[in-house]
Amino acid sequence: MEELDLTTREGRFKHFGSVDPIEGTKPMEKELMVDLQSSKKDFLFEVDSVGINNLSYPVVIGDFQSIGNFELATSLRKNEKGINMSRILESLETQNDGGVRLDFGTLETVLGTLRDRMDQESAEVTADGKWYFAKQSPHTQLSGMAHADVKYSLEIGESGTTRKQLGMTAMVTTLCPCSKGISEYSAHNQRGYVKVLLDVDPEKELPDDHREQLYEVLEINASSQLYPILKRTDEKMVTERAYENPRFVEDLIRLIAYDLVELDWVKGFELECRNEESIHQHDAFSRMRYQK
């Protein structure tokens, strides 16, 4: 049995089971290696989307860096066995400057590069992240960092953009109209979640403040807004505003829908409102779809 020197890393590795590499027979040069992915024959079906997802990657949303979660893919022809996955990351890296700026212009550039490098008819990306922004309290005007979850989804083909979607999830306060109506004093309220996925009209120019516009629509229709910092005078205003504006989830979704329809760059949307009920063990929700 080989005597091992446990004072060396090599000796310790072998002590724990490592073995010497074998003398291989397959080529080390790329040009001589087998390339199965590039095989071409009848593989039965075209594939709509093939790529990578659950990719964590730094992004820039608005003024701040955040963490994005990406899915990137291309189509695949019937006579091609597979795609070169490494080219997906290489295409994303072309737009990495301390993070990829999360907007449709940047993502369209990524997809154009990806489609060209893959030599495929279509390419698509969906990326989401947490958008941070400064928000002032209603009375004292103290600024703190607020956030909402945003999503960008884009697909391009030979004829141009085939999918352009913007999503957002924001938190709000809702106060129960029924509780207010039957109680001698007070009314139960809770944190609510509003989630929307917009179909963006590719023929319209997307405003620079599209995130701010969407966020305002989601929160202004609730009983009250949420704030990072609240002093007593702020808390009084927030509490009283909620009491003055009671909302069922049915009320909230209809009010938000009206404002979304008014945005000329929106073609349609999927919308959901959910309340974490403070007097129940279950949640209450409402959901709707709308196309102009």
Side-chain angles (χ1 to χ4, degrees), residues 32-49:
L32 301 177
M33 290 179 176
V34 176
D35 187 1
L36 291 177
Q37 284 181 314
S38 298
S39 302
K40 292 195 175 184
K41 61 181 180 181
D42 185 354
F43 288 106
L44 305 180
F45 295 98
E46 294 180 353
V47 179
D48 293 330
S49 303

Side-chain angles (χ1 to χ4, degrees), residues 179-195:
S179 177
K180 178 180 177 179
I182 63 177
S183 302
E184 295 292 342
Y185 42 83
S186 188
H188 81 84
N189 56 53
Q190 54 271 319
R191 182 181 296 169
Y193 294 82
V194 184
K195 181 178 180 180

Side-chain angles (χ1 to χ4, degrees), residues 54-157:
N54 201 26
L55 170 66
S56 182
Y57 203 87
V59 294
V60 178
I61 310 176
D63 296 328
F64 298 98
Q65 191 179 62
S66 188
I67 299 296
N69 187 283
F70 281 78
E71 177 176 293
L72 297 113
T74 69
S75 55
L76 182 63
R77 300 182 185 92
K78 179 182 177 182
N79 69 330
E80 296 175 332
K81 184 174 181 61
I83 66 168
N84 190 323
M85 294 279 183
S86 64
R87 293 176 184 172
I88 297 178
L89 269 297
E90 290 173 346
S91 300
L92 192 59
E93 281 289 337
T94 64
Q95 299 302 309
N96 181 14
D97 183 15
V100 172
R101 184 159 290 280
L102 203 53
D103 57 43
F104 286 119
T106 302
L107 295 179
E108 187 172 3
T109 300
V110 170
L111 291 187
T113 302
L114 177 59
R115 192 163 68 99
D116 290 344
R117 291 188 178 186
M118 293 292 199
D119 189 27
Q120 296 292 338
E121 277 79 16
S122 67
E124 60 186 274
V125 59
T126 297
D128 57 72
K130 202 168 289 291
W131 168 44
Y132 291 94
F133 53 93
K135 188 174 183 180
Q136 293 181 325
S137 54
H139 184 261
T140 59
Q141 299 295 293
L142 292 172
S143 183
M145 295 303 298
H147 61 83
D149 295 327
V150 295
K151 174 185 288 187
Y152 288 79
S153 188
L154 186 65
E155 182 177 6
I156 62 171

